[in-house]
Amino acid sequence: MSKLLVVGSISTDFVVETKREPKVGETIFGETFQTYFGGKGANQAVAAARLGAEVEMFGAVGSDVFGESLINNLKENNVGVEYVQTVDHLPSGSAFITVVNGDNSIIYVAGANDAYTPDCLFQNQQQLDMLKRSDMVIVQNELPQATIEKLIDQSNQNRIPVLYNPAPARKITEKLMEFITFLTPNESEFQEMFPGQSISEMLEKYSNKLIVTLGQKGATFHDGDKIVTVPAIEVEHVVDTTGAGDTFNGAFAVAYMEGQSLEECVRFANKAAAVSIQKLGAQNGMPTKEEI
Ligand code: RIB
């Protein structure tokens, strides 16, 4: 079984469905409210575990009621939590999400996710062994930047492939670009990371490395010869796109670890993402292989 290490955020999502966004100073009626399990790191870990990978998670939660159920949820989804830390000085991470016609907007409050500083990484030999035994590492941007850089550096030293999902967007150095195997921004993250650059130019510059996800249009990369765009699967009734990108990344990692070609990985990830947006909540719609 392929072994995946996911280092990232673990949060509770507070989700309101509403017909439109309120204007400044306005109060409007929402349709529904519910809490869901979220956090880009936890979402990607669950997506990969549902698809059959052996997944271990590194991250932090607060010592509050949310923290306990966030850890239980990971366990129930067969994600290893031995190295997830519980901290007292910050509340568990949270995200405040409005869903309008299936599309979401998110305010993320890092809380305990910010406590996952570089010192937390590889505190002991077991943690380092965990990295060395992994077939791939995934990381996103809901943790402190210094932690991400240390993780990528260690992974590179140990020749472990890194999938870096730069969400929310942050600028990236050439050095970090060299160390990662895949970078998977969506279109708006791409614009923030590479201001003034065209997608096609950057795809060619970072061929077989940069994969830009295009929502309903699918995902695109350069195969060293030409640009390849793999169309998304059409979905009749989109319920909630929250977590679609996370499902894409988790599924991509699973296909990559199984030795599939880049195009096959993207095709598989597109399929998983299409299934995932048919239920409310980031993790609820994430499919198993059979469901795909
Ligand atoms: O990618 C979706 C996730 O990002 C949500 O689950 C929420 O936690 C946010 O941070």
Side-chain angles (χ1 to χ4, degrees):
M1 203 194 274
S2 322
K3 286 191 175 57
L4 178 68
L5 175 61
V6 180
V7 183
S9 55
I10 311 168
S11 308
T12 309
D13 291 350
F14 297 82
V15 182
V16 170
E17 278 185 294
T18 171
K19 293 208 168 102
R20 64 175 177 85
E21 296 283 352
K23 296 189 203 107
V24 174
E26 185 191 22
T27 303
I28 60 169
F29 282 87
E31 305 297 307
T32 65
F33 166 75
Q34 222 167 319
T35 58
Y36 294 100
F37 295 110
K40 292 183 195 298
N43 292 346
Q44 294 178 15
V46 169
R50 291 237 175 109
L51 292 166
E54 190 181 319
V55 184
E56 191 68 35
M57 173 107 213
F58 287 5
V61 297
S63 57
D64 44 32
V65 280
F66 297 111
E68 201 179 322
S69 58
L70 288 165
I71 288 183
N72 286 338
N73 172 62
L74 289 171
K75 282 188 197 157
E76 279 161 24
N77 280 285
N78 298 316
V79 173
V81 293
E82 197 181 333
Y83 302 101
V84 173
Q85 304 187 357
T86 300
V87 300
D88 289 328
H89 64 294
L90 285 168
S92 294
S94 51
F96 300 86
I97 304 182
T98 47
V99 178
V100 181
N101 293 327
D103 284 325
N104 66 72
S105 27
I106 303 178
I107 299 174
Y108 166 61
V109 185
N113 294 309
D114 258 357
Y116 204 77
T117 55
D119 297 344
C120 301
L121 273 179
F122 315 122
Q123 284 168 329
N124 51 42
Q125 191 58 37
Q126 288 105 298
Q127 252 186 319
L128 193 58
D129 289 344
M130 187 65 76
L131 171 74
K132 289 182 179 168
R133 283 200 305 272
S134 301
D135 297 302
M136 182 167 232
V137 170
I138 310 189
V139 67
Q140 327 73 32
N141 273 342
E142 288 185 334
L143 291 185
Q145 179 66 20
T147 308
I148 295 165
E149 286 175 12
K150 181 174 175 184
L151 173 75
I152 292 176
D153 185 52
Q154 280 289 331
S155 307
N156 183 59
Q157 282 182 37
N158 289 285
R159 299 189 191 287
I160 309 297
V162 176
L163 168 54
Y164 181 21
N165 174 225
R170 276 182 202 151
K171 291 262 164 55
I172 187 164
T173 60
E174 274 298 330
K175 185 164 174 247
L176 214 57
M177 265 319 268
E178 255 175 56
F179 286 175
I180 60 182
T181 317
F182 298 112
L183 181 77
T184 57
N186 65 20
E187 272 173 292
S188 68
E189 289 151 3
F190 172 88
Q191 305 299 349
E192 271 190 60
M193 296 179 79
F194 304 101
Q197 310 274 12
S198 76
I199 292 187
S200 54
E201 264 172 349
M202 288 299 104
L203 287 180
E204 189 167 358
K205 179 170 180 193
Y206 299 115
S207 61
N208 294 304
K209 177 179 287 213
L210 174 64
I211 301 155
V212 181
T213 57
L214 308 168
Q216 291 168 346
K217 287 175 274 153
T220 186
F221 64 94
H222 193 286
D223 69 1
D225 191 30
K226 60 185 177 317
I227 289 179
V228 179
T229 301
V230 184
I233 312 284
E234 232 175 272
V235 172
E236 215 170 282
H237 185 48
V238 178
V239 178
D240 181 9
T241 53
T242 313
D246 298 329
T247 310
F248 180 95
N249 282 280
F252 181 94
V254 170
Y256 176 77
M257 292 187 297
E258 285 172 358
Q260 298 191 37
S261 72
L262 188 46
E263 187 169 343
E264 285 166 337
C265 292
V266 173
R267 206 171 293 284
F268 182 69
N270 275 350
K271 281 187 197 167
V275 179
S276 76
I277 59 179
Q278 300 179 46
K279 283 193 187 145
L280 197 58
Q283 297 175 13
N284 284 345
M286 288 174 176
T288 60
K289 273 203 178 140
E290 293 67 35
E291 282 166 336
I292 289 184

